[in-house]
Amino acid sequence: MTRGPATPPRPVTIRPAREEDVAAVLAMFDSAVTWLTAQGRTGQWGTRPFTGDAKRTEQVTSWLAGGGMRIAEHDGEPAGCISVGPAHDYVTPAAEPELYVQALVTGRRHAGHGIGRALLGWAADEAAGRGVRLLRVDCFAGHDGRLVAYYESCGFTRVAPFTVGEWPGMLLQRRL
């Protein structure tokens, strides 16, 4: 049996976020929460949808207002989101200028298409364009550590573990 040529991967485009993207970003988080909850992995973002939660809506809106939120589009629709800006107050400040990844999410419908990696690549390019040689991120470090391993596979190295209440986190960095 002869197979035809493989369908080439569809490109991911990254653009500045717009006000109308807030609902799409909340829906991306909703799909991630649903997926994580179905696996019994509720420690990262809990079990409640982000959509309809005033605190979560304000959080996403603040990323947009900060100017560092970008949307990855795949198949012509919003597929992922990254926000860069100042480091969160619960991590140790950097000893040098940095660009900090405040949030990264991919809608589950687009999982496995390199959306997160493309957005992290954009953040590295953005940092380099600003003359900054340090890109940092923090993430949930509980359960089996798969999220920490993901960031390590993207070129980040562990800096230090931390906790916020009972939430276990890991601070990571990538030198550019």
Side-chain angles (χ1 to χ4, degrees):
M1 178 174 145
T2 305
R3 294 181 181 206
T7 304
R10 294 182 183 98
V12 174
T13 58
I14 299 172
R15 62 168 173 78
R18 303 182 290 252
E19 190 172 325
E20 59 268 21
D21 292 318
V22 170
V25 172
L26 292 166
M28 290 175 207
F29 278 105
D30 292 348
S31 71
V33 166
T34 298
W35 179 75
L36 289 166
T37 300
Q39 295 183 38
R41 301 166 60 93
T42 59
Q44 183 173 344
W45 289 324
T47 60
R48 294 181 36 219
F50 280 39
T51 300
D53 182 318
K55 181 180 174 186
R56 296 297 195 175
T57 300
E58 198 290 344
Q59 186 177 42
V60 174
T61 302
S62 73
W63 296 333
L64 177 65
M69 192 164 103
R70 296 295 182 273
I71 299 296
E73 291 186 340
H74 181 252
D75 285 343
E77 64 184 61
C81 173
I82 193 168
S83 180
V84 296
H88 298 298
D89 59 3
Y90 54 79
V91 299
T92 304
E96 65 187 270
E98 71 173 331
L99 188 62
Y100 200 89
V101 177
Q102 299 170 319
L104 177 68
V105 66
T106 299
R108 290 304 305 164
R109 185 166 126 29
H110 299 278
H113 293 281
I115 306 299
R117 288 181 190 281
L119 286 164
L120 290 170
W122 171 86
D125 291 345
E126 179 71 10
R130 295 180 184 188
V132 174
R133 305 209 21 102
L134 180 63
L135 181 64
R136 293 196 312 161
V137 65
D138 70 81
C139 70
F140 179 69
H143 297 299
D144 56 9
R146 284 174 40 189
L147 190 52
V148 173
Y150 170 77
Y151 282 107
E152 289 174 324
S153 77
C154 293
F156 288 83
T157 58
R158 296 174 192 217
V159 174
F162 64 91
T163 57
V164 176
E166 294 184 20
W167 191 86
M170 178 63 68
L171 178 63
L172 300 106
Q173 69 181 20
R174 181 174 163 191
R175 293 259 169 221
L176 307 173

PDB file of all heavy atoms in Angstrom, residues 75-101:
ATOM      1  N   ASP A  75      -4.161  26.662  13.295  1.00  0.00           N
ATOM      2  CA  ASP A  75      -5.399  26.381  12.562  1.00  0.00           C
ATOM      3  C   ASP A  75      -6.342  27.583  12.570  1.00  0.00           C
ATOM      4  O   ASP A  75      -7.557  27.448  12.631  1.00  0.00           O
ATOM      5  CB  ASP A  75      -6.124  25.154  13.132  1.00  0.00           C
ATOM      6  CG  ASP A  75      -5.452  23.848  12.760  1.00  0.00           C
ATOM      7  OD1 ASP A  75      -4.638  23.844  11.808  1.00  0.00           O
ATOM      8  OD2 ASP A  75      -5.739  22.830  13.415  1.00  0.00           O
ATOM      9  N   GLY A  76      -5.751  28.795  12.574  1.00  0.00           N
ATOM     10  CA  GLY A  76      -6.537  30.016  12.479  1.00  0.00           C
ATOM     11  C   GLY A  76      -7.271  30.438  13.737  1.00  0.00           C
ATOM     12  O   GLY A  76      -8.149  31.297  13.682  1.00  0.00           O
ATOM     13  N   GLU A  77      -6.938  29.830  14.867  1.00  0.00           N
ATOM     14  CA  GLU A  77      -7.619  30.213  16.104  1.00  0.00           C
ATOM     15  C   GLU A  77      -6.628  30.292  17.259  1.00  0.00           C
ATOM     16  O   GLU A  77      -5.562  29.689  17.198  1.00  0.00           O
ATOM     17  CB  GLU A  77      -8.746  29.238  16.435  1.00  0.00           C
ATOM     18  CG  GLU A  77      -8.275  27.835  16.719  1.00  0.00           C
ATOM     19  CD  GLU A  77      -9.438  26.877  16.947  1.00  0.00           C
ATOM     20  OE1 GLU A  77     -10.250  26.708  16.041  1.00  0.00           O
ATOM     21  OE2 GLU A  77      -9.487  26.296  18.048  1.00  0.00           O
ATOM     22  N   PRO A  78      -6.969  31.048  18.307  1.00  0.00           N
ATOM     23  CA  PRO A  78      -6.088  31.119  19.468  1.00  0.00           C
ATOM     24  C   PRO A  78      -5.865  29.725  20.057  1.00  0.00           C
ATOM     25  O   PRO A  78      -6.823  28.988  20.303  1.00  0.00           O
ATOM     26  CB  PRO A  78      -6.842  32.012  20.448  1.00  0.00           C
ATOM     27  CG  PRO A  78      -7.739  32.848  19.589  1.00  0.00           C
ATOM     28  CD  PRO A  78      -8.132  31.930  18.466  1.00  0.00           C
ATOM     29  N   ALA A  79      -4.607  29.372  20.229  1.00  0.00           N
ATOM     30  CA  ALA A  79      -4.257  28.032  20.688  1.00  0.00           C
ATOM     31  C   ALA A  79      -3.433  28.040  21.967  1.00  0.00           C
ATOM     32  O   ALA A  79      -3.391  27.044  22.685  1.00  0.00           O
ATOM     33  CB  ALA A  79      -3.481  27.301  19.592  1.00  0.00           C
ATOM     34  N   GLY A  80      -2.750  29.139  22.230  1.00  0.00           N
ATOM     35  CA  GLY A  80      -1.908  29.228  23.412  1.00  0.00           C
ATOM     36  C   GLY A  80      -1.671  30.673  23.773  1.00  0.00           C
ATOM     37  O   GLY A  80      -1.920  31.581  22.977  1.00  0.00           O
ATOM     38  N   CYS A  81      -1.193  30.872  24.991  1.00  0.00           N
ATOM     39  CA  CYS A  81      -0.955  32.215  25.493  1.00  0.00           C
ATOM     40  C   CYS A  81       0.291  32.215  26.374  1.00  0.00           C
ATOM     41  O   CYS A  81       0.524  31.270  27.125  1.00  0.00           O
ATOM     42  CB  CYS A  81      -2.162  32.680  26.306  1.00  0.00           C
ATOM     43  SG  CYS A  81      -1.921  34.263  27.154  1.00  0.00           S
ATOM     44  N   ILE A  82       1.061  33.274  26.248  1.00  0.00           N
ATOM     45  CA  ILE A  82       2.182  33.524  27.147  1.00  0.00           C
ATOM     46  C   ILE A  82       2.074  34.972  27.606  1.00  0.00           C
ATOM     47  O   ILE A  82       1.591  35.823  26.863  1.00  0.00           O
ATOM     48  CB  ILE A  82       3.548  33.264  26.462  1.00  0.00           C
ATOM     49  CG1 ILE A  82       4.683  33.213  27.501  1.00  0.00           C
ATOM     50  CG2 ILE A  82       3.836  34.297  25.371  1.00  0.00           C
ATOM     51  CD1 ILE A  82       6.002  32.677  26.928  1.00  0.00           C
ATOM     52  N   SER A  83       2.494  35.197  28.837  1.00  0.00           N
ATOM     53  CA  SER A  83       2.592  36.559  29.340  1.00  0.00           C
ATOM     54  C   SER A  83       3.966  36.715  29.971  1.00  0.00           C
ATOM     55  O   SER A  83       4.396  35.861  30.755  1.00  0.00           O
ATOM     56  CB  SER A  83       1.506  36.842  30.378  1.00  0.00           C
ATOM     57  OG  SER A  83       1.648  38.173  30.847  1.00  0.00           O
ATOM     58  N   VAL A  84       4.650  37.792  29.589  1.00  0.00           N
ATOM     59  CA  VAL A  84       5.964  38.090  30.171  1.00  0.00           C
ATOM     60  C   VAL A  84       5.900  39.463  30.832  1.00  0.00           C
ATOM     61  O   VAL A  84       5.138  40.329  30.419  1.00  0.00           O
ATOM     62  CB  VAL A  84       7.096  38.050  29.118  1.00  0.00           C
ATOM     63  CG1 VAL A  84       7.258  36.648  28.544  1.00  0.00           C
ATOM     64  CG2 VAL A  84       6.861  39.058  28.003  1.00  0.00           C
ATOM     65  N   GLY A  85       6.702  39.619  31.863  1.00  0.00           N
ATOM     66  CA  GLY A  85       6.723  40.882  32.596  1.00  0.00           C
ATOM     67  C   GLY A  85       7.538  40.720  33.860  1.00  0.00           C
ATOM     68  O   GLY A  85       8.436  39.887  33.921  1.00  0.00           O
ATOM     69  N   PRO A  86       7.202  41.481  34.892  1.00  0.00           N
ATOM     70  CA  PRO A  86       7.943  41.384  36.150  1.00  0.00           C
ATOM     71  C   PRO A  86       7.751  40.013  36.801  1.00  0.00           C
ATOM     72  O   PRO A  86       6.700  39.382  36.648  1.00  0.00           O
ATOM     73  CB  PRO A  86       7.338  42.478  37.026  1.00  0.00           C
ATOM     74  CG  PRO A  86       6.498  43.322  36.147  1.00  0.00           C
ATOM     75  CD  PRO A  86       6.168  42.517  34.935  1.00  0.00           C
ATOM     76  N   ALA A  87       8.758  39.589  37.546  1.00  0.00           N
ATOM     77  CA  ALA A  87       8.676  38.318  38.273  1.00  0.00           C
ATOM     78  C   ALA A  87       7.590  38.394  39.338  1.00  0.00           C
ATOM     79  O   ALA A  87       7.282  39.467  39.864  1.00  0.00           O
ATOM     80  CB  ALA A  87      10.019  38.000  38.922  1.00  0.00           C
ATOM     81  N   HIS A  88       7.029  37.257  39.651  1.00  0.00           N
ATOM     82  CA  HIS A  88       6.045  37.171  40.727  1.00  0.00           C
ATOM     83  C   HIS A  88       6.733  37.479  42.055  1.00  0.00           C
ATOM     84  O   HIS A  88       7.917  37.188  42.236  1.00  0.00           O
ATOM     85  CB  HIS A  88       5.417  35.778  40.759  1.00  0.00           C
ATOM     86  CG  HIS A  88       4.684  35.434  39.506  1.00  0.00           C
ATOM     87  ND1 HIS A  88       3.591  36.137  39.046  1.00  0.00           N
ATOM     88  CD2 HIS A  88       4.888  34.451  38.599  1.00  0.00           C
ATOM     89  CE1 HIS A  88       3.143  35.603  37.925  1.00  0.00           C
ATOM     90  NE2 HIS A  88       3.924  34.579  37.627  1.00  0.00           N
ATOM     91  N   ASP A  89       5.979  38.027  42.984  1.00  0.00           N
ATOM     92  CA  ASP A  89       6.573  38.430  44.258  1.00  0.00           C
ATOM     93  C   ASP A  89       6.955  37.256  45.158  1.00  0.00           C
ATOM     94  O   ASP A  89       7.650  37.439  46.144  1.00  0.00           O
ATOM     95  CB  ASP A  89       5.646  39.392  45.009  1.00  0.00           C
ATOM     96  CG  ASP A  89       4.283  38.804  45.314  1.00  0.00           C
ATOM     97  OD1 ASP A  89       4.027  37.628  45.004  1.00  0.00           O
ATOM     98  OD2 ASP A  89       3.458  39.538  45.879  1.00  0.00           O
ATOM     99  N   TYR A  90       6.550  36.046  44.822  1.00  0.00           N
ATOM    100  CA  TYR A  90       6.880  34.896  45.658  1.00  0.00           C
ATOM    101  C   TYR A  90       8.180  34.192  45.258  1.00  0.00           C
ATOM    102  O   TYR A  90       8.551  33.211  45.875  1.00  0.00           O
ATOM    103  CB  TYR A  90       5.722  33.885  45.690  1.00  0.00           C
ATOM    104  CG  TYR A  90       5.236  33.428  44.329  1.00  0.00           C
ATOM    105  CD1 TYR A  90       5.924  32.470  43.584  1.00  0.00           C
ATOM    106  CD2 TYR A  90       4.069  33.958  43.795  1.00  0.00           C
ATOM    107  CE1 TYR A  90       5.473  32.060  42.351  1.00  0.00           C
ATOM    108  CE2 TYR A  90       3.598  33.543  42.562  1.00  0.00           C
ATOM    109  CZ  TYR A  90       4.304  32.590  41.847  1.00  0.00           C
ATOM    110  OH  TYR A  90       3.846  32.181  40.625  1.00  0.00           O
ATOM    111  N   VAL A  91       8.867  34.689  44.236  1.00  0.00           N
ATOM    112  CA  VAL A  91      10.155  34.105  43.861  1.00  0.00           C
ATOM    113  C   VAL A  91      11.286  35.064  44.211  1.00  0.00           C
ATOM    114  O   VAL A  91      11.092  36.273  44.284  1.00  0.00           O
ATOM    115  CB  VAL A  91      10.226  33.717  42.362  1.00  0.00           C
ATOM    116  CG1 VAL A  91       9.185  32.673  42.017  1.00  0.00           C
ATOM    117  CG2 VAL A  91      10.089  34.923  41.467  1.00  0.00           C
ATOM    118  N   THR A  92      12.458  34.502  44.415  1.00  0.00           N
ATOM    119  CA  THR A  92      13.634  35.301  44.723  1.00  0.00           C
ATOM    120  C   THR A  92      13.947  36.212  43.539  1.00  0.00           C
ATOM    121  O   THR A  92      14.011  35.739  42.402  1.00  0.00           O
ATOM    122  CB  THR A  92      14.837  34.379  45.002  1.00  0.00           C
ATOM    123  OG1 THR A  92      14.482  33.482  46.051  1.00  0.00           O
ATOM    124  CG2 THR A  92      16.072  35.165  45.384  1.00  0.00           C
ATOM    125  N   PRO A  93      14.143  37.500  43.782  1.00  0.00           N
ATOM    126  CA  PRO A  93      14.467  38.413  42.676  1.00  0.00           C
ATOM    127  C   PRO A  93      15.771  38.004  41.982  1.00  0.00           C
ATOM    128  O   PRO A  93      16.687  37.475  42.610  1.00  0.00           O
ATOM    129  CB  PRO A  93      14.619  39.771  43.366  1.00  0.00           C
ATOM    130  CG  PRO A  93      13.898  39.641  44.655  1.00  0.00           C
ATOM    131  CD  PRO A  93      14.026  38.202  45.063  1.00  0.00           C
ATOM    132  N   ALA A  94      15.832  38.277  40.708  1.00  0.00           N
ATOM    133  CA  ALA A  94      17.051  38.000  39.937  1.00  0.00           C
ATOM    134  C   ALA A  94      18.099  39.052  40.283  1.00  0.00           C
ATOM    135  O   ALA A  94      17.769  40.199  40.587  1.00  0.00           O
ATOM    136  CB  ALA A  94      16.744  38.024  38.439  1.00  0.00           C
ATOM    137  N   ALA A  95      19.357  38.652  40.191  1.00  0.00           N
ATOM    138  CA  ALA A  95      20.475  39.562  40.481  1.00  0.00           C
ATOM    139  C   ALA A  95      20.891  40.349  39.244  1.00  0.00           C
ATOM    140  O   ALA A  95      21.877  41.081  39.286  1.00  0.00           O
ATOM    141  CB  ALA A  95      21.651  38.769  41.025  1.00  0.00           C
ATOM    142  N   GLU A  96      20.159  40.185  38.151  1.00  0.00           N
ATOM    143  CA  GLU A  96      20.469  40.857  36.891  1.00  0.00           C
ATOM    144  C   GLU A  96      19.169  41.096  36.131  1.00  0.00           C
ATOM    145  O   GLU A  96      18.136  40.527  36.492  1.00  0.00           O
ATOM    146  CB  GLU A  96      21.421  39.990  36.062  1.00  0.00           C
ATOM    147  CG  GLU A  96      20.789  38.672  35.630  1.00  0.00           C
ATOM    148  CD  GLU A  96      21.757  37.730  34.958  1.00  0.00           C
ATOM    149  OE1 GLU A  96      21.887  37.806  33.718  1.00  0.00           O
ATOM    150  OE2 GLU A  96      22.381  36.925  35.671  1.00  0.00           O
ATOM    151  N   PRO A  97      19.197  41.899  35.096  1.00  0.00           N
ATOM    152  CA  PRO A  97      17.978  42.104  34.303  1.00  0.00           C
ATOM    153  C   PRO A  97      17.470  40.772  33.744  1.00  0.00           C
ATOM    154  O   PRO A  97      18.253  39.898  33.371  1.00  0.00           O
ATOM    155  CB  PRO A  97      18.438  43.040  33.185  1.00  0.00           C
ATOM    156  CG  PRO A  97      19.632  43.742  33.740  1.00  0.00           C
ATOM    157  CD  PRO A  97      20.318  42.730  34.620  1.00  0.00           C
ATOM    158  N   GLU A  98      16.169  40.650  33.709  1.00  0.00           N
ATOM    159  CA  GLU A  98      15.555  39.407  33.237  1.00  0.00           C
ATOM    160  C   GLU A  98      14.255  39.703  32.514  1.00  0.00           C
ATOM    161  O   GLU A  98      13.699  40.792  32.629  1.00  0.00           O
ATOM    162  CB  GLU A  98      15.254  38.487  34.420  1.00  0.00           C
ATOM    163  CG  GLU A  98      14.105  38.993  35.282  1.00  0.00           C
ATOM    164  CD  GLU A  98      13.671  38.021  36.365  1.00  0.00           C
ATOM    165  OE1 GLU A  98      13.803  36.804  36.189  1.00  0.00           O
ATOM    166  OE2 GLU A  98      13.183  38.501  37.402  1.00  0.00           O
ATOM    167  N   LEU A  99      13.772  38.704  31.804  1.00  0.00           N
ATOM    168  CA  LEU A  99      12.404  38.677  31.314  1.00  0.00           C
ATOM    169  C   LEU A  99      11.771  37.471  31.992  1.00  0.00           C
ATOM    170  O   LEU A  99      12.373  36.387  32.028  1.00  0.00           O
ATOM    171  CB  LEU A  99      12.345  38.552  29.793  1.00  0.00           C
ATOM    172  CG  LEU A  99      10.951  38.701  29.180  1.00  0.00           C
ATOM    173  CD1 LEU A  99      10.367  40.092  29.474  1.00  0.00           C
ATOM    174  CD2 LEU A  99      10.997  38.468  27.689  1.00  0.00           C
ATOM    175  N   TYR A 100      10.604  37.657  32.563  1.00  0.00           N
ATOM    176  CA  TYR A 100       9.967  36.610  33.357  1.00  0.00           C
ATOM    177  C   TYR A 100       8.699  36.123  32.672  1.00  0.00           C
ATOM    178  O   TYR A 100       7.856  36.937  32.268  1.00  0.00           O
ATOM    179  CB  TYR A 100       9.619  37.156  34.749  1.00  0.00           C
ATOM    180  CG  TYR A 100       9.410  36.069  35.759  1.00  0.00           C
ATOM    181  CD1 TYR A 100      10.472  35.578  36.504  1.00  0.00           C
ATOM    182  CD2 TYR A 100       8.156  35.513  35.963  1.00  0.00           C
ATOM    183  CE1 TYR A 100      10.295  34.567  37.431  1.00  0.00           C
ATOM    184  CE2 TYR A 100       7.962  34.500  36.884  1.00  0.00           C
ATOM    185  CZ  TYR A 100       9.037  34.037  37.615  1.00  0.00           C
ATOM    186  OH  TYR A 100       8.858  33.025  38.528  1.00  0.00           O
ATOM    187  N   VAL A 101       8.561  34.825  32.544  1.00  0.00           N
ATOM    188  CA  VAL A 101       7.345  34.226  32.003  1.00  0.00           C
ATOM    189  C   VAL A 101       6.350  34.136  33.153  1.00  0.00           C
ATOM    190  O   VAL A 101       6.511  33.333  34.061  1.00  0.00           O
ATOM    191  CB  VAL A 101       7.612  32.837  31.396  1.00  0.00           C
ATOM    192  CG1 VAL A 101       6.307  32.204  30.917  1.00  0.00           C
ATOM    193  CG2 VAL A 101       8.621  32.931  30.248  1.00  0.00           C
TER     194      VAL A 101
END
